[in-house]
Amino acid sequence: MAEFAQRRIEDRIPELEQLERVGLFTKKEVKSVIKKATALEYKLLRKSVGKEDFINYIQYEINLLELIKKRRMRISYSFKKDEIEYVVVQRIHGVFNRATNKWKEDLQLWMSHVAFCKKWNCKFQMSKTFAALLAIHPDKPALWIMAAKYEMEDQLSSESARHLFLRALRFHPESSKVYQEYFRMELMNAEKQRKEKDELERAKIDIGEAGYSEDILKGELARVVYKSSVQNIKGAEFHLSLLSIAKMFSFTQELQKEILDDLQVLHAQDPLTWDFMARKELEVESLPSTEYSSKQAKASDLARKEERCNAVYEEALNSVQSETMWNLYITFCLERYRRKTNSKELKQNRQDRLLAAYSKTHAAKLLPEAKYTEWISLLLELGQAETAVDVSLEATKQFSDSVTMWQTRIEVLINLRSENINQVFEEAFKQVKTKDCLPLWVLMVDWSEKNNTPEDTEDLFKKAILVTYPAVTKMMKEKYLEWAYRTKGYKKARKVFSSLHENRPFSVEFFQKMIYIEKQEESCRMQNLREYYERALREFGSTNPDLWLDYIKEELTHSEGKPENCGPIHWRAMKMLQGDDVEHFVSKYTLLQTGHL
């Protein structure tokens, strides 16, 4: 094996001699390159050779190429590229091939080779790489599309691209993305040929033997792809995606009409079809410019278009009674409402239509949870708070176990300073599962702090920390401690901590909050900090390396700290931590010792 490595080193000698001869590298630099290349080559011969060894070799060669490029620019020398750069590029391809043969499943490695080919304009090698890649990974549609796009856009070969798409469809007959890109490619090819033909005709050159097919120029190949795709891929969404692609090309009017007609026949009951047809009314040509001069005329014309859209939606809602259809209608109304206009009448029409849409969908019992939230927010935005209360009540009836709906309803009542908030909270806790009710507890204690006596709020905290679900208990302990310090000071916070520090479960933030509170005091005592750290480490010492580091820093920086304690703390940390946490702790501790942390 060593003779192969030695031969590769010897193969470098002509290119290195050229580099030295033309003044791009010095003799010393050439020796350095040979030494480094030898080390890299022999690394690849080890039994335990790793992927990173190949990557390091490739990166070194790429850096060498970049350096040669900069040196050429500096001395303005542009000759002998075949003897120098071409040889280096071919060698990089060789290393890439060896790596991808060894790690065939590593897509990142393949993509790195593709990127290198693209950067250094290696067209032949790029095609070879894609061929090898697709032979190993035929199950990935994105790779077929990438290869076909390369053939079409970089190699300017529509035949090769078409061949790749047809092969891709044999492996992925139900891939909508492959069909979309194939359809786009055929339209791009037709557009390209049309432009070429126009240029030749303008130059008055005979195109009789140029071989331009009228079928291709009219987009017939794209039409064949379209017909085949809609037989294999069902649904209005895919159909509409092809229509949107066709609209990008000016010569596809007949094809667009055919796609639209098929859409209305094949997907007559699909909500997306109705949504598209309704929105299409906005694209209808406006009044002639002579009649379209004033802002009022523009607003009136837009209002008529929106009325026609609304009429189509109403017909759709009668025909297709589904949640999706109602959602699409509300989305349209909301989009129009959010559009800016100086016409008060148009703005009012949009508002009325949107509110009516929400109301009708609610009446049909097809309004989803997220739309209720939207509706309530809109009502509050419009100053219709009483209506918002009624809607939020209906929402909690419809979604009685949804914490979001109860939270929204209570927030509305809080904004209105309602008197029965306590009663609604109690009802909410009965309906919502314990594991989901954390947002309600947070909202309740925040509301209580602003509206009830401190004694009532403290009773509420004591009740909350007894909840059986750990997430609620942990959060409420943190908030209780924070509230005690904020309202009654350090002594109260210390008392609350003492009453809770033996009652599991805990969060690390609970102890960190108490440590922060202690450090805010002028008479911050290291003895207390040690107690908090020791309690925290008893709970989280096996999984939290930063807690150990903070403890060590405290001993080093506090006026009452004992640096001699750092050694035992370090020993305990190494004993308790495991896996990656040990590495994290060691690296941070080293930085701490050198004064970089």
Side-chain angles (χ1 to χ4, degrees):
M1 296 292 285
E3 61 268 21
F4 290 114
Q6 194 58 41
R7 188 188 306 163
R8 291 192 188 100
I9 299 302
E10 289 172 2
D11 288 344
R12 284 175 172 268
I13 293 174
E15 116 209 12
L16 293 170
E17 287 176 345
Q18 287 284 13
L19 283 167
E20 185 181 350
R21 190 178 300 120
V22 301
L24 291 172
F25 276 28
T26 64
K27 190 169 187 177
K28 185 178 178 181
E29 287 173 330
V30 167
K31 286 183 178 178
S32 175
V33 170
I34 292 174
K35 184 178 178 182
K36 181 67 176 176
T38 303
L40 290 168
E41 278 288 354
Y42 276 94
K43 269 191 175 182
L44 301 188
L45 296 179
R46 296 181 306 178
K47 285 185 178 179
S48 59
V49 62
K51 194 191 311 177
E52 62 277 2
D53 296 320
F54 283 91
I55 292 170
N56 290 338
Y57 195 164
I58 290 164
Q59 192 58 57
Y60 176 75
E61 294 288 3
I62 290 173
N63 291 342
L64 188 66
L65 270 179
E66 294 289 351
L67 181 60
I68 293 169
K69 185 179 177 181
K70 288 179 182 177
R71 294 275 176 91
R72 282 186 179 280
M73 290 175 66
R74 191 174 70 191
I75 66 173
S76 301
Y77 184 82
S78 59
F79 305 102
K80 304 275 184 189
K81 287 192 175 182
D82 286 347
E83 291 91 334
I84 300 171
E85 280 93 334
Y86 177 78
V87 177
V88 179
V89 168
Q90 293 307 309
R91 185 162 55 249
I92 293 172
H93 287 317
V95 181
F96 263 124
N97 289 335
R98 289 161 69 188
T100 51
N101 282 336
K102 194 171 182 65
W103 291 281
K104 291 182 171 66
E105 299 302 315
D106 192 324
L107 268 180
Q108 188 60 48
L109 206 55
W110 284 101
M111 289 299 101
S112 297
H113 194 185
V114 168
F116 175 77
C117 292
K118 194 167 189 178
K119 182 173 181 180
W120 292 93
N121 199 30
C122 308
K123 293 184 177 180
F124 176 71
Q125 185 63 43
M126 177 82 104
S127 295
K128 277 183 67 179
T129 302
F130 270 128
L133 174 58
L134 292 172
I136 295 165
H137 295 281
D139 58 324
K140 295 177 175 61
L143 297 178
W144 289 98
I145 293 168
M146 191 186 299
K149 278 189 172 182
Y150 170 74
E151 293 295 337
M152 181 67 188
E153 296 170 10
D154 294 84
Q155 296 285 66
L156 303 177
S157 173
S158 59
E159 281 296 325
S160 297
R162 187 178 296 117
H163 178 65
L164 281 167
F165 274 123
L166 290 171
R167 285 181 60 203
L169 288 171
R170 281 200 287 272
F171 286 98
H172 307 282
E174 295 182 356
S175 170
S176 57
K177 193 65 181 173
V178 172
Y179 270 117
Q180 286 164 354
E181 294 304 325
Y182 186 13
F183 183 65
R184 191 194 312 274
M185 185 278 291
E186 290 294 4
L187 290 173
M188 286 172 64
N189 180 45
E191 185 178 54
K192 174 172 160 285
Q193 291 198 24
R194 289 171 73 93
K195 286 180 179 177
E196 287 175 0
K197 184 183 177 187
D198 288 345
E199 286 173 7
L200 291 173
E201 287 175 346
R202 279 198 297 272
K204 297 183 179 178
I205 297 174
D206 184 16
I207 59 171
E209 297 180 1
Y212 291 107
S213 165
E214 280 300 317
D215 286 342
I216 292 177
L217 295 175
K218 288 192 297 184
E220 281 300 309
L221 286 179
R223 183 177 174 277
V224 171
V225 175
Y226 156 69
K227 284 294 187 185
S228 172
S229 67
V230 294
Q231 288 177 1
N232 289 282
I233 313 291
K234 306 301 179 184
E237 185 177 3
F238 174 72
H239 213 113
L240 287 166
S241 71
L242 297 183
L243 182 58
S244 65
I245 293 170
K247 283 184 175 181
M248 297 176 187
F249 300 87
S250 58
F251 62 90
T252 60
Q253 298 302 322
E254 289 184 12
L255 180 57
Q256 287 180 46
K257 185 178 182 306
E258 183 178 351
I259 295 173
L260 188 57
D261 290 343
D262 288 348
L263 175 71
Q264 291 174 283
V265 172
L266 297 174
H267 308 289
Q269 295 301 304
D270 194 306
L272 289 174
T273 302
W274 283 103
D275 183 57
F276 176 79
M277 297 308 297
R279 289 172 180 271
K280 206 169 184 302
E281 294 295 330
L282 292 173
E283 301 171 12
V284 175
E285 288 189 18
S286 302
L287 298 169
S289 57
T290 54
E291 301 176 38
Y292 201 61
S293 54
S294 71
K295 290 182 179 179
Q296 185 62 41
K298 291 180 183 178
S300 298
D301 185 56
L302 191 54
R304 282 193 292 271
K305 288 180 179 179
E306 290 182 7
E307 281 296 333
R308 289 198 295 270
C309 290
N310 194 60
V312 176
Y313 275 116
E314 287 184 356
E315 185 183 348
L317 292 166
N318 289 328
S319 177
V320 184
Q321 281 287 339
S322 72
E323 184 178 307
T324 304
M325 191 68 252
W326 281 103
N327 279 343
L328 290 169
Y329 179 42
I330 289 174
T331 301
F332 169 78
C333 292
L334 188 59
E335 283 174 12
R336 302 313 297 177
Y337 173 74
R338 297 294 183 201
R339 289 180 69 89
K340 291 183 178 179
T341 177
N342 293 324
S343 171
K344 291 183 180 179
E345 184 181 351
L346 181 57
K347 181 74 174 175
Q348 187 63 45
N349 287 343
R350 289 172 174 174
Q351 179 183 308
D352 294 343
R353 194 177 293 125
L354 176 58
L355 291 174
Y358 279 122
S359 184
K360 289 176 182 177
T361 313
H362 163 69
K365 298 189 181 304
L366 293 171
L367 191 63
E369 189 177 327
K371 293 297 179 185
Y372 272 109
T373 307
E374 275 181 16
W375 188 10
I376 293 165
S377 298
L378 176 65
L379 290 168
L380 293 173
E381 180 187 312
L382 296 173
Q384 300 181 23
E386 293 297 333
T387 309
V389 171
D390 294 338
V391 171
S392 64
L393 174 60
E394 292 298 321
T396 52
K397 287 179 181 177
Q398 188 82 5
F399 301 96
S400 59
D401 61 345
S402 166
V403 68
T404 304
M405 286 293 92
W406 283 104
Q407 194 177 356
T408 303
R409 180 182 170 188
I410 292 167
E411 285 170 352
V412 172
L413 293 173
I414 289 172
N415 288 335
L416 285 176
R417 300 184 181 278
S418 177
E419 295 179 358
N420 66 334
I421 293 176
N422 263 322
Q423 184 182 339
V424 178
F425 267 120
E426 289 177 11
E427 190 181 348
F429 283 120
K430 288 177 184 176
Q431 299 291 340
V432 178
K433 293 177 182 176
T434 305
K435 67 183 182 68
D436 298 327
C437 70
L438 177 58
L440 291 178
W441 281 111
V442 173
L443 184 60
M444 192 174 188
V445 295
D446 288 345
W447 169 78
S448 180
E449 184 180 347
K450 294 172 185 175
N451 296 276
N452 293 338
T453 64
E455 291 75 17
D456 289 340
T457 302
E458 186 164 13
D459 288 342
L460 186 60
F461 275 118
K462 289 178 179 178
K463 182 180 176 183
I465 61 177
L466 295 176
V467 173
T468 55
Y469 197 69
V472 176
T473 308
K474 290 177 184 178
M475 175 63 78
M476 287 299 105
K477 284 176 182 173
E478 293 171 35
K479 291 188 75 66
Y480 186 14
L481 185 60
E482 185 183 319
W483 170 84
Y485 180 64
R486 188 173 61 250
T487 57
K488 297 186 178 182
Y490 170 76
K491 286 185 178 179
K492 179 65 177 177
R494 171 93 175 150
K495 186 178 178 182
V496 168
F497 179 79
S498 298
S499 70
L500 297 176
H501 61 49
E502 293 294 344
N503 299 331
R504 292 180 177 83
F506 297 112
S507 66
V508 70
E509 289 79 14
F510 173 71
F511 296 102
Q512 288 173 334
K513 205 174 286 289
M514 192 61 223
I515 291 167
Y516 170 79
I517 290 170
E518 182 71 42
K519 290 170 75 171
Q520 297 306 300
E521 294 300 297
E522 288 185 14
S523 58
C524 171
R525 299 177 62 189
M526 188 64 203
Q527 182 181 346
N528 290 341
L529 289 175
R530 287 194 188 103
E531 179 195 348
Y532 307 147
Y533 274 114
E534 289 296 340
R535 288 186 178 280
L537 290 168
R538 188 174 67 185
E539 302 291 333
F540 305 102
S542 62
T543 57
N544 196 320
D546 289 332
L547 205 54
W548 292 100
L549 290 162
D550 290 340
Y551 191 8
I552 291 170
K553 277 193 279 186
E554 213 69 67
E555 291 285 10
L556 291 171
T557 58
H558 196 280
S559 58
E560 298 175 10
K562 294 180 179 179
E564 62 268 24
N565 288 348
C566 294
I569 294 171
H570 178 273
W571 181 83
R572 288 167 58 201
M574 294 295 290
K575 193 174 178 182
M576 286 189 73
L577 294 168
Q578 295 180 353
D580 292 340
D581 289 332
V582 177
E583 187 178 338
H584 176 83
F585 174 75
V586 170
S587 61
K588 287 286 187 73
Y589 184 70
T590 305
L591 290 173
L592 182 62
Q593 286 184 310
T594 56
H596 292 93
L597 186 65

